[in-house]
Amino acid sequence: MSEPNIVLTRIDNRLVHGQVGVVWTSSVGANLLLVANDETANDQLQQELMAATAETSGVGIRFWTIDKTISTIHKASPRQHIFLVIRNAQDARRLVEGGVPVKNLNLGNMHFSKGKVQVTKYTYMDDQDKADLKYCADHGVNVYVQEVPEDKKQPLEEVI
């Protein structure tokens, strides 16, 4: 099996929306959005809404569980420029543990919820998030915060 051409992996609680589906997709030169999220892989309504955004950008879109992503992504064609979108740090860690070759992990929106503290304007983390992201970094992943492509990248070690 060959290594998939993952142009970027992004954590965004919202998954695919205008900013991800249009701005980021064109910025990284993706032609396929791969949403790796267990809940969304089984939610037809969410898929339809996200597919409409992908269609606007003229790219393909797939909805896979984390396990399917781990077992299938290595079968990707070299011509697929994959933008991998996930919901949280736990899914990022599962992908890295499962052997998905994540090189760059962009932290986009990680919304506030109970127990999370603000580390940047749009990024909230708890101790588990920090541990999972540190695990990814310790396994060769370049982890950084960058809301939009025009923003300066903030390395993980600067924000936690």
Side-chain angles (χ1 to χ4, degrees):
M1 288 188 266
S2 63
E3 184 168 300
N5 185 6
I6 301 172
V7 295
L8 183 63
T9 302
R10 177 176 169 97
I11 295 176
D12 196 314
N13 294 107
R14 303 165 296 175
L15 298 172
V16 176
H17 51 90
Q19 187 183 84
V20 165
V22 179
V23 177
W24 276 105
T25 300
S26 62
S27 173
V28 300
N31 59 18
L32 177 65
L33 282 163
L34 174 53
V35 177
N37 179 261
D38 293 346
E39 179 186 323
T40 305
N42 296 300
D43 185 327
Q44 192 62 40
L45 179 58
Q46 279 191 57
Q47 290 179 24
E48 288 172 15
L49 295 170
M50 291 182 216
T53 301
E55 188 176 319
T56 301
S57 295
V59 298
I61 191 165
R62 306 282 182 279
F63 302 95
W64 292 353
T65 63
I66 296 297
D67 288 341
K68 181 173 181 178
T69 303
I70 291 167
S71 67
T72 308
I73 199 161
H74 291 292
K75 298 175 185 173
S77 165
R79 70 179 179 276
Q80 291 176 309
H81 298 239
I82 302 166
F83 183 6
L84 184 57
V85 183
I86 57 179
R87 193 178 297 268
N88 55 51
Q90 293 72 39
D91 287 348
R93 181 177 183 146
R94 285 178 59 200
L95 291 171
V96 171
E97 287 175 337
V100 174
V102 175
K103 291 183 176 61
N104 294 294
L105 179 59
N106 170 298
L107 309 180
N109 282 9
M110 293 176 68
H111 292 173
F112 173 79
S113 63
K114 187 176 179 173
K116 296 188 186 262
V117 295
Q118 187 171 20
V119 296
T120 71
K121 186 174 182 180
Y122 299 104
T123 310
Y124 295 80
M125 295 182 196
D126 59 19
D127 289 342
Q128 186 62 57
D129 292 327
K130 292 175 184 178
D132 290 334
L133 294 170
K134 186 168 178 358
Y135 175 91
C136 292
D138 289 347
H139 286 80
V141 180
N142 176 30
V143 183
Y144 59 90
V145 175
Q146 187 179 26
E147 179 64 20
V148 294
E150 298 80 34
D151 289 350
K152 181 179 179 278
K153 294 177 183 177
Q154 295 178 268
L156 178 65
E157 51 279 359
E158 287 183 10
V159 297
I160 62 169

